Amino acid sequence: MFFDLPRITVIGGQSAGKSSLVEAVSGINVPRDPGTCTRCPMECTMSSSAASWSCQISLRIEYDSEGRLLGASNTMLFGPCLTDKGTVELWLRRAQAAILHPHLQPSFFLDMDKTTLRQLGKKSQEPGDAGPRMLQFSKNTVHVDVKDPDIVDLSFTDLPGLIQNEHVDTIEMVRELVVSHISGQNTLILITIPMSDDMQNQEAVRLAKSADPDGTRIIGVLTKPNTLTAGAIGLRQLWRAVIEGQEHPLKHGYYCVRLPDDVERARKLSPAERERAAANFFDTTSPWTPAEIPDRRRFGIPNFVTDISRLLVGLIEKNLPNLRRSVDDLLRKCAADLEDLPPRAKTEPSAEVLLRVTNFCRELSEAVSGTSNKSFAQGNRRRYAEFKTDICRTRPNFQPFEAYYSDSGVDTCYSDSGRPASSASAASSTTTNLLNLHDVRVCIENSVGWELPGFVPFNATKNLVSRFTSLSFRLTSMCRWQYGIPHDMRYDSNHLFQALH
């Protein structure tokens, strides 16, 4: 992402009611399974600028299967544009399966039914399965673009729920995923907190306050008020104090929402029916009644959506100057990059490419033959002369007796011009090549086995010869690499081009 755009991120613990909240806000059904059902980020963009309801799902791939950031992101449409709300849940299951199986093409999942998707997930986790496994979680994103004339314009990201009873690496991966999404200064952090649990047990609250110590970006959403029994008087009064800002206060406060349970979901209530059921619950259940809490702005999905939409719009307006400067800087950089490009060819592209290849081949041929560009040929002649000298200096300097040990006993090597040649890259000093009768005798004695007396074994000759010829390989490699030519003599245009220039 080029810019830190204002956005809302929904976080919370496993089974904290995030999925139900997303359904209530967006009007779409999301996958539900026992345990964790959201296993990758899901971005939801809601727009009211349409005459009828529609939904388009896409995948944004930014990370590889190991969670490493790719050089460039890839966004692809997944499936058709949906016009039936009842099909969204299945398509979201397919999209999430495609994200969690990076070794398979997304098109593989387009026709899968719900049962097949579940069986695929179970099979990939079996101990005996030797193939690539399904990822437990992924950083790549499922994007849902919802157009509905009856909804509030809003964008948010739903993240996997924080987990406790899993492998340490998995727990840490989900935690890092949450932290990375809420660390931006332009991110409003929406924490779902189940009222069936204690506030002190909420890791999501701790992570949010760590990312935003001032609390200017944190919004609390209290879910599952209907799970508090009539006898839990103390717990009900504690959560009432939280809503009224007397306990664990937040700058933007808390909202309390009553979301449909499984029975109500099975009845497929309309949004209006769900809102009437929630309003009736808060109006008749203590301590949420109007008589006990007169400020009703903190109850219900409509109030919640209206307020967070207003907060997001305010954050966008506040960041417009910075965003405009960032866009201008990026435009200037792009313009500079375009200026650095070579001028556009005036001829037909294929003819221009053919002309440039032909010119390169001609220049290469002239350089190799030494007709125009003589630097390549002259440089090679000099290097070959040095190579000849280097090879000459590897000859054994046989001095039978120690009295004759001297550098002056070395034969002089001559270049093609007839003058004595010298080389800074000599294989070894003259003393290293000295050989006397004692050395020869020692080599013969070390090679003798059951041969007849006076017979010189072949191994002795081989060892004496190899002692000096072994230096030739290194010298030959040095000569070949002088102009970037690989030691296996496979010439290619890159090496020759670098040699010419």
Side-chain angles (χ1 to χ4, degrees):
M1 186 178 292
F2 290 109
F3 313 109
D4 180 20
L5 297 175
R7 57 188 178 276
I8 297 174
T9 298
V10 184
I11 67 172
Q14 180 180 346
S15 302
K18 289 193 304 83
S19 297
S20 297
L21 181 65
V22 169
E23 288 184 346
V25 172
S26 64
I28 61 174
N29 291 333
V30 299
R32 288 174 175 270
D33 285 313
T36 303
C37 51
T38 304
R39 295 188 174 271
C40 65
M42 185 185 77
E43 285 186 359
C44 185
T45 302
M46 301 158 51
S47 174
S48 59
S49 60
S52 60
W53 186 93
S54 66
C55 176
Q56 177 66 65
I57 299 174
S58 57
L59 309 179
R60 187 169 72 243
I61 309 300
E62 298 176 287
Y63 300 87
D64 63 14
S65 58
E66 300 297 327
R68 295 184 293 259
L69 188 65
L70 299 173
S73 63
N74 179 25
T75 301
M76 63 190 79
L77 294 178
F78 186 81
C81 181
L82 308 178
T83 55
D84 180 5
K85 288 185 178 182
T87 62
V88 176
E89 180 180 355
L90 177 58
W91 277 102
L92 287 177
R93 286 182 180 273
R94 293 168 175 169
Q96 182 168 262
I99 289 288
L100 298 178
H101 292 82
H103 55 283
L104 298 175
Q105 290 294 325
S107 57
F108 179 75
F109 302 92
L110 293 178
D111 298 323
M112 284 192 177
D113 58 25
K114 190 173 182 178
T115 302
T116 305
L117 289 168
R118 284 177 173 171
Q119 291 174 348
L120 180 66
K122 293 179 180 179
K123 181 178 182 300
S124 65
Q125 295 178 5
E126 293 176 357
D129 184 34
R133 291 179 177 272
M134 180 186 79
L135 301 178
Q136 285 192 291
F137 293 92
S138 176
K139 295 180 180 180
N140 292 316
T141 305
V142 174
H143 183 84
V144 185
D145 187 12
V146 179
K147 298 185 184 302
D148 186 346
D150 299 325
I151 61 175
V152 177
D153 293 338
L154 191 64
S155 295
F156 61 89
T157 301
D158 180 29
L159 298 180
L162 294 163
I163 52 179
Q164 303 295 333
N165 299 321
E166 266 289 356
H167 192 275
V168 175
D169 292 342
T170 304
I171 295 174
E172 189 60 30
M173 177 186 176
V174 176
R175 183 182 291 113
E176 290 178 356
L177 179 63
V178 170
V179 170
S180 65
H181 275 75
I182 65 176
S183 57
Q185 294 302 309
N186 290 329
T187 301
L188 292 175
I189 308 171
L190 206 62
I191 314 173
T192 54
I193 306 169
M195 300 174 77
S196 56
D197 199 358
D198 293 333
M199 178 70 80
Q200 289 78 4
N201 295 335
Q202 305 302 314
E203 185 183 11
V205 176
R206 182 181 62 80
L207 293 179
K209 290 185 175 180
S210 177
D212 181 27
D214 298 332
T216 58
R217 301 186 286 116
I218 302 175
I219 306 166
V221 182
L222 306 180
T223 62
K224 303 185 178 181
N226 49 319
T227 61
L228 297 177
T229 62
I233 299 175
L235 199 54
R236 286 174 176 243
Q237 292 301 324
L238 174 62
W239 286 116
R240 173 183 174 179
V242 170
I243 294 174
E244 294 178 333
Q246 299 171 8
E247 296 284 344
H248 308 286
L250 292 176
K251 179 178 180 180
H252 298 297
Y254 296 84
Y255 293 85
C256 186
V257 295
R258 196 269 189 192
L259 304 170
D261 55 24
D262 291 341
V263 174
E264 292 170 334
R265 290 184 74 252
R267 291 165 53 193
K268 297 182 179 180
L269 300 177
S270 67
E273 290 173 328
R274 291 197 297 265
E275 289 175 13
R276 282 197 298 269
N280 180 66
F281 172 81
F282 289 123
D283 289 343
T284 59
T285 306
S286 178
W288 326 121
T289 62
E292 295 169 284
I293 305 179
D295 186 2
R296 311 308 290 170
R297 294 175 302 172
R298 295 290 171 175
F299 293 96
I301 289 294
N303 291 332
F304 163 69
V305 172
T306 301
D307 284 358
I308 62 170
S309 177
R310 176 180 50 79
L311 286 174
L312 183 60
V313 170
L315 187 60
I316 292 173
E317 292 176 346
K318 178 182 176 182
N319 282 272
L320 278 178
N322 291 334
L323 182 60
R324 185 177 292 109
R325 283 193 294 269
S326 298
V327 171
D328 290 341
D329 292 342
L330 185 60
L331 284 174
R332 281 192 292 269
K333 182 180 181 302
C334 291
D337 291 341
L338 290 174
E339 288 293 329
D340 292 338
L341 293 176
R344 179 179 295 181
K346 297 181 180 179
T347 59
E348 201 273 331
S350 58
E352 180 69 20
V353 171
L354 182 61
L355 177 63
R356 295 192 180 195
V357 171
T358 303
N359 290 338
F360 171 76
C361 293
R362 186 188 70 254
E363 293 178 6
L364 178 61
S365 176
E366 292 175 351
V368 172
S369 61
T371 55
S372 59
N373 186 347
K374 301 183 182 298
S375 60
F376 182 71
Q378 292 173 356
N380 273 275
R381 288 178 66 89
R382 287 192 298 270
R383 188 63 187 92
Y384 294 158
E386 293 174 357
F387 177 62
K388 179 179 179 181
T389 303
D390 291 342
I391 294 296
C392 182
R393 289 169 66 91
T394 65
R395 295 181 303 178
N397 180 16
F398 185 62
Q399 303 289 344
F401 309 103
E402 291 187 14
Y404 293 96
Y405 281 9
S406 171
D407 288 354
S408 60
V410 181
D411 294 336
T412 305
C413 294
Y414 291 88
S415 65
D416 293 340
S417 62
R419 294 190 298 270
S422 61
S423 174
S425 59
S428 59
S429 64
T430 305
T431 358
T432 306
N433 297 339
L434 284 175
L435 189 69
N436 58 31
L437 284 177
H438 175 71
D439 298 329
V440 175
R441 287 170 181 161
V442 171
C443 184
I444 294 174
E445 290 174 1
N446 292 337
S447 303
V448 168
W450 292 106
E451 292 84 3
L452 294 173
F455 180 80
V456 178
F458 174 74
N459 269 353
T461 305
K462 179 181 176 182
N463 291 338
L464 287 171
V465 173
S466 299
R467 175 176 170 181
F468 301 99
T469 57
S470 62
L471 300 172
S472 301
F473 177 79
R474 185 170 65 88
L475 295 172
T476 304
S477 297
M478 290 170 59
C479 180
R480 287 171 177 168
W481 277 103
Q482 180 72 24
Y483 286 101
I485 301 174
H487 68 276
D488 58 0
M489 294 299 291
R490 289 198 296 267
Y491 294 77
D492 61 43
S493 58
N494 288 334
H495 284 99
L496 290 175
F497 184 81
Q498 293 171 3
L500 293 174
H501 298 276

